[in-house]
Amino acid sequence: MKLIFRGHDARYAVEQSLLAFFPQERPVYDPEAEEENQAVVALSQAEKYTTAVTTITYNGAKERGTSRVIIDPAANEYEKERLRQRAVKLSFFKAAQKVTGVTPTWGALTGIRPAKLAAGYLEQGMSPRQVDAILRDTYSVSPVRRELCIEAAQAGLKAKGDLKPEDISLYIGIPFCPTRCAYCSFVSQAVEKSFGLMEPYLEALLGEITRAARTVRDLGLRVKSFYMGGGTPTTLSTDQMNRLLTHLNHNFDLSGCAEYCIEAGRPDTIDREKLQVLLDHGCNRISVNPQSLEDGVLQAIGRRHTAADIEKTMSLATSMGFAHVNMDLIAGLPADTPEGFRRTLDKCLDFGADNITVHTLALKKGSRILLEGQSIPPAQAVGEMLDYSISALRGANFHPYYLYRQKYMSGSFENIGWCISGAEGLYNIYIMEELHSILSLGAGGSTKMVDPAAGRIERVFHAKYPNEYIIRPEKIQQNLEEFSAFYRSMKK
């Protein structure tokens, strides 16, 4: 669809709305392009109101949507831009709703963090019922998603109340996997192709841990949660994992760390000895990520293990005394069906996991699903999978504690973390609700620096690939210096 902007350049906001209503369309910005379907999105400022008007022409039909906001001249530029984008999104939503006759389940909300919006209203003193009314009347969010959003917001505010100004989270990235899954677009290397990089990568990472720990001590910060992700961290050998965690615990003061989580993502990387190393070093939470327990689906996404392997791994993990075990599932994978997804979820509930994260497939550039044109379930089938997960998990006394959305998600749905009471994954809440800084070490990640009092968030990006990370120690040092400078500026 051809997009014509007048008076603004809110591309991200409009593109997200475009995907929700017209999933087969892609934005075209070439003014010379001959496109039958188009949207003209204009923003204008009058004395009192800022007004957005969207006119959409689609398959011969033409509709118009209008939205107005009042922008306080004394507001900061961030707030002004937020209101301008809100007007643009709502005008596009109204026009698209008329021309398609469709209301997406998340209504006019297009951002990554809908719970953060709800949390803001709750912090202003609104009741959950008042927030529900705003989500319904202003944004046309469906009843089920409004409930999920408010519950996740409440969990986020509870976690926020336990934080101190010096608290941060620590992330370590291990960008290696046994094989590359068909849905994956993360910067990770299949071990079969990059085994020689693992030792030099580990040595570089140990050096960064030493320097980062010194920086954290000098700044007087405290690690509240630790998370090791990837890739698949348990791709490391037992000896490599032992060296890494020994070095981590020796350098960082983790006495105030409430959560020590490691992704033990795939059963073909897990054994008793490796899990014992995790326990011995203080790990109190692991995540086993089968994505599906249907053998046909596992084969379609490129996994080299079976559902029976996952069952054995979960039996082992739950018998060894980890305080919390999470399982990740994806709704909408190739070769899956609503019936197959139901069987998967029911088995996960039987395994004894106290956290179950239900993702919706996101079609990301660079994934084999897109490159090879694999067939995936339609949005209606994905919706059935998610509807079942909500009812089944609530029926098992799980509640939603964090959620987020991504670009190009099947059906424009969401990812939700569910858990039994008291088993919330703190790191997930901290990063999704942007409650404090996340210091990231290793390749492929980014450090997010948060000043809650000023509402300021900045990021530094790390070397993207393992080999680049290994040969560029100056980039590691530069990132730590920027992290330090951010915190020193907060104290002025």
Side-chain angles (χ1 to χ4, degrees), residues 35 48 110 117 125 180 252 341 366 383 407-408 431:
E35 294 280 340
K48 183 175 181 181
T110 58
L117 174 69
R180 190 176 179 86
F252 278 95
F341 183 84
K407 201 172 183 180
Y408 303 122
I431 192 169

Side-chain angles (χ1 to χ4, degrees), residues 166-173 205 208-216 221-229 244-245 247-249 251-254 257-262 426-428 430-431 436-442 446-448 462 480 483:
E166 66 270 22
D167 286 342
I168 65 168
S169 286
L170 178 67
Y171 175 86
I172 289 180
L205 181 58
E208 185 179 19
I209 288 171
T210 302
R211 292 192 287 274
R214 186 182 307 121
T215 298
V216 167
L221 301 177
R222 180 180 77 154
V223 176
K224 179 70 171 179
S225 76
F226 165 64
Y227 192 100
M228 187 188 297
L244 173 57
L245 297 184
H247 191 75
L248 172 77
N249 291 1
N251 281 272
F252 278 95
D253 178 5
L254 299 179
C257 185
E259 181 175 276
Y260 193 123
C261 180
I262 295 177
L426 295 176
Y427 176 86
N428 293 322
Y430 297 153
I431 192 169
H436 66 198
S437 295
I438 311 290
L439 175 58
S440 179
L441 311 181
S446 65
T447 288
K448 180 182 292 186
H462 298 251
L480 289 173
F483 181 81

Side-chain angles (χ1 to χ4, degrees), residues 104-171:
T105 189
W106 278 101
L109 290 184
T110 58
I112 295 171
R113 299 174 173 85
K116 191 173 182 181
L117 174 69
Y121 289 127
L122 291 171
E123 285 192 297
Q124 291 172 24
M126 292 186 186
S127 69
R129 178 175 289 185
Q130 289 173 313
V131 177
D132 180 83
I134 291 174
L135 295 176
R136 179 193 66 214
D137 299 336
T138 302
Y139 296 100
S140 300
V141 180
S142 71
V144 170
R145 265 59 190 187
R146 295 200 303 267
E147 185 177 17
L148 293 171
C149 187
I150 292 169
E151 286 183 77
Q154 290 171 322
L157 291 176
K158 182 176 183 296
K160 182 178 181 179
D162 293 333
L163 291 175
K164 297 180 179 178
E166 66 270 22
D167 286 342
I168 65 168
S169 286
L170 178 67
Y171 175 86

